[in-house]
């Protein structure tokens, strides 16, 4: 959780150079990466908006998110434009979602993509089979156009690299100081029954956080 989701969140916040007083928009607020982005953006003094399942809206507002929208509709586009736009968007959905996210950027705003999950939300095999490459090309080219004043990019982390290790160390230090927390939804033991229950519970339990499997001595 810390190295993967937290690492992506840290790289994203650093790449976007999120500053105090800025407005940011995060797609998938209640996911592992989304929660990492929320914590790190709030820590920097930014105001956070984004999309999530309705069942998680109350918890996200309690966590400090200013505005939460349903991910199943596009109300957020008009709402954020009416609010004057945002300084940064973090979008793991890809495809047409990057067009919509780009449209709510302020001048000099930045859109960062880090996935192509739009198809998995629809459940359509045809959607999931689409290639992300043409959309990634469009995303990058948009950021190269001088007259827009906006930046774009696609980022990822590569485990084992120096940058990844430095980021992991920074996250652990933030955890040690109590500045961020790792939300954990449930923990199971590494047993046949535990794995079965964890698998059956995936996506069904209320609340936010990661599922953990506890590995005992001698099980590694």
């Amino acid at each position: 959780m810390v190295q993967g989701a937290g690492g992506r969140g840290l790289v994203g916040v650093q790449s976007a150079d999120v500053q105090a007083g800025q407005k940011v928009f995060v797609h998938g607020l209640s996911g592992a990466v989304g929660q990492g982005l929320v914590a790190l953006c709030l820590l920097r003094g930014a105001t956070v908006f984004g999309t999530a399942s309705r069942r998680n809206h109350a918890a996200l507002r309690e966590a400090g998110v200013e505005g939460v929208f349903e991910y199943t509709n596009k109300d957020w586009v008009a709402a954020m434009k009416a609010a004057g736009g945002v300084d940064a968007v973090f979008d793991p959905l890809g495809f047409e979602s990057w067009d919509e996210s780009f449209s709510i950027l302020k001048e000099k705003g930045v859109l960062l993509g880090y996935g192509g999950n739009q198809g998995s939300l629809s459940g359509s095999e045809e959607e999931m089979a689409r290639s992300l490459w043409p959309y990634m090309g469009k995303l990058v080219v948009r950021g190269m156009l001088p007259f827009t004043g906006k930046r774009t990019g696609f980022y990822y982390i590569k485990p084992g690299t120096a940058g990844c290790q430095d980021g992991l160390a920074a996250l652990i230090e933030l955890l040690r100081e109590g500045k961020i927390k790792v939300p954990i939804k449930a923990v199971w033991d590494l047993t046949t029954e535990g794995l079965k229950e964890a698998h059956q519970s995936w996506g069904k339990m209320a609340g936010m956080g990661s599922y953990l499997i506890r590995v005992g001595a001698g099980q590694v």
Side-chain angles (χ1 to χ4, degrees), residues 48-64:
V48 181
F49 303 82
T51 59
S53 299
R54 179 171 290 278
R55 67 176 182 271
N56 294 320
H57 285 197
L60 286 163
R61 292 191 184 97
E62 187 175 336

Side-chain angles (χ1 to χ4, degrees), residues 20-89:
Q22 290 187 333
K23 293 190 293 185
V24 302
F25 195 94
V26 179
H27 289 280
L29 287 164
S30 55
V33 179
Q35 289 176 69
L37 285 165
V38 168
L40 293 167
C41 287
L42 290 175
L43 188 62
R44 288 193 172 205
T47 302
V48 181
F49 303 82
T51 59
S53 299
R54 179 171 290 278
R55 67 176 182 271
N56 294 320
H57 285 197
L60 286 163
R61 292 191 184 97
E62 187 175 336
V65 177
E66 180 73 17
V68 191
F69 301 87
E70 281 271 12
Y71 73 88
T72 52
N73 62 49
K74 305 298 180 181
D75 292 348
W76 57 272
V77 177
M80 298 318 300
K81 285 181 178 179
V86 298
D87 299 284
V89 182

Side-chain angles (χ1 to χ4, degrees), residues 167-209:
L168 180 58
L171 287 169
I172 291 175
E173 183 63 19
L174 290 173
L175 283 167
R176 188 187 67 79
E177 295 173 350
K179 293 181 178 179
I180 61 173
K181 296 180 180 179
V182 177
I184 298 172
K185 185 182 292 187
V187 181
W188 290 272
D189 290 323
L190 183 57
T191 63
T192 301
E193 188 60 32
L195 292 173
K196 179 181 178 181
E197 186 176 340
H199 180 73
Q200 292 174 338
S201 301
W202 183 260
K204 298 178 182 178
M205 294 181 66
M208 300 185 300

Side-chain angles (χ1 to χ4, degrees), residues 1 10 12 25 38 69 91 101 103 129 131 148 156 159 165 177 199-200:
M1 163 65 184
L10 181 62
F25 195 94
V38 168
F69 301 87
D91 190 336
S101 293
S103 75
S131 172
T148 67
Y156 65 99
Q165 296 304 316
E177 295 173 350
H199 180 73
Q200 292 174 338

Side-chain angles (χ1 to χ4, degrees), residues 87-130:
D87 299 284
V89 182
F90 299 95
D91 190 336
L93 301 178
F95 302 98
E96 291 80 11
S97 181
W98 285 341
D99 295 331
E100 296 157 352
S101 293
F102 190 82
S103 75
I104 67 170
L105 287 178
K106 291 181 178 180
E107 186 178 355
K108 297 184 179 180
V110 56
L111 163 61
L112 291 179
Y114 59 95
N117 301 326
Q118 183 170 289
S120 62
L121 291 178
S122 70
S124 165
E125 291 187 9
E126 183 178 351
E127 282 288 313
M128 289 188 283
R130 285 200 297 167

